[in-house]
Amino acid sequence: MKNYSRQREEIIKVVKESCDHKTAEEIYMIVKAKDPAVSRSTVYRNLGLLVENNIINKISMLVGPDRYDYITKPHNHAICTKCGKVFDFDYKFEYEKIKQIVIEQTGVEISDKGIALDGICDFCRKNN
Amino acid sequence: MKNYSRQREEIIKVVKESCDHKTAEEIYMIVKAKDPAVSRSTVYRNLGLLVENNIINKISMLVGPDRYDYITKPHNHAICTKCGKVFDFDYKFEYEKIKQIVIEQTGVEISDKGIALDGICDFCRKNN
DNA sequence: TTCCATGCAAATCGTTTGCATAAAC
DNA sequence: GTTTATGCAAACGATTTGCATGGAA
């Protein structure tokens, strides 16, 4: 991420200000509303860059497109596998202990981006 | 899943017997080796059905295609975001407590399929 | 003999890439 | 002036779908 660009600035702003967890397409539509000339590839390219630079997180979904999340502090996600909504929750996992156990058992050094759990949200449980 | 089919039987067998966590394409290739007439769509259709019926798990990846996992008992995954390998690990999360907290905070009723963590595996840490 | 599952090919979805132009430094 | 980012359109990988046929109950 060497050079500044107006488009990137706006993309960051959209992710930062959205309390839900938007898809690339949603972010594209919002940015496009302000600046009709932006292209989808600019959005995808910048989201990729921002993930690489640990400015935003990418959340991979069991169903549907990936979603993005501005990084403030590590937090956890509860993901509805019906509608795809992502909810934040607070819980103090025994992080250091888990990290230790995982690397011993698997060799994988886990990142501290929080933990994601899948389930069904309130709305989808009721309306289905 | 109403009617039996030879193809589905074989697909289940492949997922069941693979200790790693295969992609749909890998499963397709293995099944195809035994039965050259199977089509890719049959593999995808059956994997979908098997997930719906809680016979196998689908694992969504930060990068690359989804992977599948035969359900024996709940267990956790450590996923390498470089190479895409999925490793199993054992750790007794305080499951009931977490479930309670998540539903209170988010309304999401989480499934008991275990927890997935992202990180970088031993091999990728060394060779990169 | 009525469904359900299959194989095939085409369609779709989400994302990435090549290339010429435009903006940053 | 030299890079780096953009916009566009085409390519791409992974997955889904429509439809005619074959197999299961």
Side-chain angles (χ1 to χ4, degrees):
Chain A
M1 270 202 337
K2 302 199 109 183
N3 286 1
Y4 167 91
S5 93
R6 186 173 37 82
Q7 292 89 331
R8 181 181 305 148
E9 199 65 22
E10 189 59 30
I11 291 165
I12 296 173
K13 205 175 140 210
V14 170
V15 181
K16 200 172 198 166
E17 289 178 357
S18 60
C19 43
D20 56 347
H21 306 74
K22 299 208 186 305
T23 63
E25 185 65 20
E26 288 167 340
I27 295 161
Y28 168 62
M29 292 313 272
I30 295 169
V31 175
K32 198 182 175 65
K34 279 207 174 176
D35 175 1
V38 276
S39 90
R40 218 185 307 271
S41 38
T42 296
V43 173
Y44 276 100
R45 260 190 292 241
N46 276 299
L47 289 173
L49 272 174
L50 295 168
V51 169
E52 266 179 38
N53 287 272
N54 291 306
I55 294 167
I56 64 176
N57 274 332
K58 184 177 179 176
I59 309 166
S60 67
M61 311 288 293
L62 223 32
V63 68
D66 295 336
R67 288 166 181 274
Y68 297 88
D69 185 13
Y70 191 80
I71 299 176
T72 44
K73 57 181 164 62
H75 60 278
N76 309 295
H77 291 139
I79 303 173
C80 177
T81 55
K82 280 270 183 236
C83 67
K85 278 212 195 71
V86 178
F87 304 81
D88 294 339
F89 72 93
D90 279 322
Y91 176 75
K92 241 195 78 4
F93 288 94
E94 295 184 290
Y95 190 71
E96 284 307 322
K97 191 170 153 192
I98 293 166
K99 188 166 184 164
Q100 183 67 24
I101 285 168
V102 173
I103 203 160
E104 272 169 21
Q105 288 188 29
T106 67
V108 176
E109 185 172 342
I110 61 170
S111 72
D112 54 357
K113 296 189 179 166
I115 283 176
L117 302 173
D118 290 313
I120 309 290
C121 77
D122 201 47
F123 181 86
C124 290
R125 275 205 311 287
K126 280 167 184 159
N127 299 57
N128 212 347
Chain B
M1 272 203 334
K2 302 199 111 182
N3 285 3
Y4 168 89
S5 92
R6 185 173 38 80
Q7 292 90 330
R8 180 181 304 148
E9 199 65 21
E10 188 60 29
I11 291 164
I12 296 174
K13 206 176 139 209
V14 169
V15 181
K16 200 172 200 166
E17 290 177 355
S18 60
C19 44
D20 57 347
H21 306 74
K22 298 207 187 305
T23 63
E25 185 66 20
E26 289 168 340
I27 295 162
Y28 168 62
M29 292 312 273
I30 294 170
V31 175
K32 197 182 175 67
K34 278 206 174 178
D35 175 0
V38 275
S39 90
R40 207 179 251 101
S41 39
T42 297
V43 173
Y44 275 101
R45 259 190 294 243
N46 276 299
L47 289 173
L49 272 173
L50 295 168
V51 169
E52 266 180 37
N53 287 273
N54 290 307
I55 295 168
I56 64 175
N57 273 331
K58 184 177 179 176
I59 310 166
S60 66
M61 311 289 292
L62 222 33
V63 69
D66 295 336
R67 289 166 180 273
Y68 296 89
D69 184 14
Y70 191 80
I71 299 177
T72 45
K73 58 182 163 65
H75 61 278
N76 309 295
H77 291 139
I79 302 172
C80 178
T81 53
K82 278 270 181 238
C83 68
K85 280 212 194 71
V86 178
F87 304 82
D88 294 339
F89 72 92
D90 280 322
Y91 176 76
K92 243 194 78 1
F93 287 94
E94 295 184 290
Y95 190 71
E96 284 308 323
K97 190 170 155 192
I98 293 167
K99 187 165 184 164
Q100 183 67 24
I101 286 168
V102 173
I103 203 160
E104 273 169 22
Q105 288 189 28
T106 68
V108 176
E109 184 172 341
I110 61 172
S111 73
D112 54 357
K113 294 188 179 165
I115 283 175
L117 303 173
D118 290 313
I120 309 290
C121 78
D122 201 47
F123 182 85
C124 290
R125 274 205 312 288
K126 279 168 185 159
N127 300 56
N128 213 346

